[in-house]
Amino acid sequence: MASNWISYNELAWTEDFLAETADYKDEVNGYIQLINSTAATPVNTMLHLGCGAGGFDVYFKKHYTVTSVDISTGMLDKAKVTNPEIEYIEGDMRTIRLNRQFDCVVIPDSIDYMLTLDDLKQAIQTTALHLNPGGVLLIVCKPEETFHDNNFAYTGEKGETHVTLFENNYINPYVPNTYEITLLYLIRHKGKLSTYIEESKAGLFPKKSWDDVLKAAGFNMETRSLDGIYDKYLLGEGEYPLTVFIGRKV
């Protein structure tokens, strides 16, 4: 079941160098405001799918009882240390079944890894099965119409270790409904350089496909634009607009 991405397993420790928990505060607080304003009744319980290293959960747990799921054991190991009071479960958002329901389900940072439309349908079905009637769903994604090729750079240093990560996002015109993610790590420890490169693909779907999948799963959704979250990491003239789907299970 576990993923084989080195970025999220063997190199999960680099998260401490490339992102500070405080970097997520404004973004997550914005999601919390959207969730609470959309809910018809108070939100007490949350299921977080694709939780990564638990940076978002630092803020979610201040408002909700959180249960979080990720497919990468390296990220889960870090998340458990950061948030020991949260229940972390290894699982695939397409297939996991916890046999319980929540007031809210969120996928704020990982839905792109649904490579095909069938993958996306399975993930959305998972959210529907785990939501109470009238429960809130929040998803952050990049519809095809607004996505562009981008390059990012992240860097950090602690003690005698320095980490730099370059990320390239490329829309391959020969492979429709996908984009390529290439990660290059430069890790220096006591002056010695190690390099790692990882290539993967992600799904890229038109907004109509998103609307159709969400409607078919029984959701009444609206969209919000989310711009500028990662601008400080962008190289050159790139843009990285995000779209937030927010709504309730009918």
Side-chain angles (χ1 to χ4, degrees), residues 87-98:
E87 179 185 12
Y88 284 102
I89 301 169
E90 181 187 337
D92 186 325
M93 70 173 70
R94 294 168 295 184
T95 57
I96 192 165
R97 299 292 182 265
L98 301 179

Side-chain angles (χ1 to χ4, degrees), residues 85-131:
E85 66 274 59
I86 289 179
E87 179 185 12
Y88 284 102
I89 301 169
E90 181 187 337
D92 186 325
M93 70 173 70
R94 294 168 295 184
T95 57
I96 192 165
R97 299 292 182 265
L98 301 179
N99 298 315
R100 46 187 156 128
Q101 282 71 49
F102 301 81
D103 299 327
C104 176
V105 176
V106 298
I107 314 178
D109 194 40
S110 56
I111 196 73
D112 288 2
Y113 287 108
M114 300 301 99
L115 184 58
T116 68
L117 195 58
D118 188 57
D119 289 334
L120 181 63
K121 290 177 180 177
Q122 290 182 56
I124 299 304
Q125 182 64 20
T126 296
T127 69
L129 291 172
H130 288 87
L131 270 174

Side-chain angles (χ1 to χ4, degrees), residues 122-188:
Q122 290 182 56
I124 299 304
Q125 182 64 20
T126 296
T127 69
L129 291 172
H130 288 87
L131 270 174
N132 290 319
V136 176
L137 174 63
L138 180 143
I139 295 174
V140 182
C141 67
K142 298 183 281 288
E144 183 180 52
E145 293 88 345
T146 56
F147 188 68
H148 309 278
D149 294 345
N150 290 295
N151 293 291
F152 299 86
Y154 313 84
T155 188
E157 183 173 5
K158 293 183 180 181
E160 296 185 275
T161 302
H162 185 280
V163 178
T164 297
L165 168 62
F166 294 103
E167 176 182 350
N168 170 255
N169 296 163
Y170 173 69
I171 304 172
N172 189 333
Y174 300 100
V175 187
N177 298 125
T178 66
Y179 72 96
E180 297 173 1
I181 304 170
T182 303
L183 303 175
L184 171 62
Y185 288 83
L186 306 176
I187 300 174
R188 290 179 171 89

Side-chain angles (χ1 to χ4, degrees), residues 30-56:
Y31 299 150
I32 291 167
Q33 291 176 10
L34 269 178
I35 290 165
N36 292 344
S37 64
T38 301
T41 57
V43 176
N44 297 310
T45 58
M46 169 183 284
L47 175 62
H48 182 183
L49 297 174
C51 63
F56 286 14

